[in-house]
Amino acid sequence: MNFPQELKYTQDHEWIKFEADGSAVVGITDFAQHELGDIVYVDINTVGQSLSKGDVFGSVEAVKTVSDLFLPIEGEILEVNTEIEKSPELVNTDPYGAGWIVKVKPADAAQPDDLLSVDAYKELIGQ
């Protein structure tokens, strides 16, 4: 499995990348997409909403289950990846690239202390 060093991770299996423009990109990890199986639909209806850290911002539907998506930081949902609306399988084939899920405007410029490094995330999932 692939876990890019430059990303931060959550215990709920989301990843987050803080961009130079102050925004952040959120998706699910390679581990999560593998556990879910073939993703057939991504449901995000929170664009424009300000949510608290840990709030559900959408869901991912796979052939065998539906899983909630939890926001790793407090912030406003700026946009949804329109490519995954047409091709949800991108979340399986490229979870850290073309399969990103939302862009967020963080409420605070400081990164939360409880985000996991790649090594801490690998330990969490037993890798």
Side-chain angles (χ1 to χ4, degrees), residues 8-16 25-29 32 43-44 46 51-60 66-75 77 101-102 104 115:
K8 295 292 185 178
Y9 300 88
T10 72
Q11 293 189 5
D12 295 314
H13 310 290
E14 284 87 20
W15 59 263
I16 185 166
V25 179
V26 177
I28 65 170
T29 66
D43 182 27
I44 311 292
T46 51
L51 302 173
S52 296
K53 180 180 165 201
D55 283 355
V56 173
F57 70 88
S59 63
V60 178
V66 175
S67 182
D68 286 336
L69 298 168
F70 301 96
L71 197 60
I73 58 169
E74 181 179 354
I77 306 295
I101 298 176
V102 294
V104 180
L115 293 174

Side-chain angles (χ1 to χ4, degrees), residues 28-30 33-34 36-43 60-63 81-101:
I28 65 170
T29 66
D30 195 14
Q33 70 80 19
H34 183 4
L36 288 167
D38 292 338
I39 294 172
V40 295
Y41 184 67
V42 180
D43 182 27
V60 178
E61 184 177 333
V63 173
N81 179 356
T82 56
E83 292 301 311
I84 63 171
E85 292 174 352
K86 296 179 270 186
S87 302
E89 67 276 4
L90 288 171
V91 177
N92 292 113
T93 60
D94 192 9
Y96 303 114
W100 64 273
I101 298 176

